[in-house]
Amino acid sequence: MTRLAALLLLLAPPAAAGPLDQAALSARLQAEGQAQQDPVLLLSAARLRKAAGFAPDSALPIGWRAMLDQAAALADDDPALLALIEDTAAETAKGVA
């Protein structure tokens, strides 16, 4: 998967996909992100998992908070990427409460 594809996922998670579909895609992105040591893929995986409504520390086998930690560790002090990681961690659910 290319970085461009991951960025597209990062910016617009698929609205039509259900939580289980998002979790499955997230798992594939996370595995690829680890294999390639790519923080953008890991960030995308975390965003999808979080958007699907899973708890930060859910064991699927890894929660979105751990994915963000992995992404931050690989971010090489890139301020823009670290800011995206922090923003993702701080985001709350969107919509009407």
Side-chain angles (χ1 to χ4, degrees):
M1 178 162 290
T2 66
R3 289 178 79 102
L4 176 60
L7 285 173
L8 292 175
L9 286 172
L10 178 67
L11 297 174
L20 294 179
D21 293 330
Q22 286 183 319
L25 179 56
S26 173
R28 290 192 307 270
L29 283 172
Q30 191 265 340
E32 191 65 24
Q34 280 188 321
Q36 293 187 24
Q37 298 290 287
D38 187 330
V40 174
L41 291 176
L42 291 166
L43 175 58
S44 298
R47 288 181 58 89
L48 281 171
R49 186 75 49 97
K50 187 173 183 180
F54 290 97
D57 299 314
S58 63
L60 291 174
I62 182 173
W64 59 260
R65 189 182 321 262
M67 291 180 193
L68 292 177
D69 291 343
Q70 290 175 350
L74 295 171
D76 294 327
D77 295 323
D78 179 328
L81 188 52
L82 290 170
L84 281 172
I85 292 167
E86 290 172 15
D87 288 349
T88 298
E91 280 178 350
T92 58
K94 297 178 179 120
V96 177

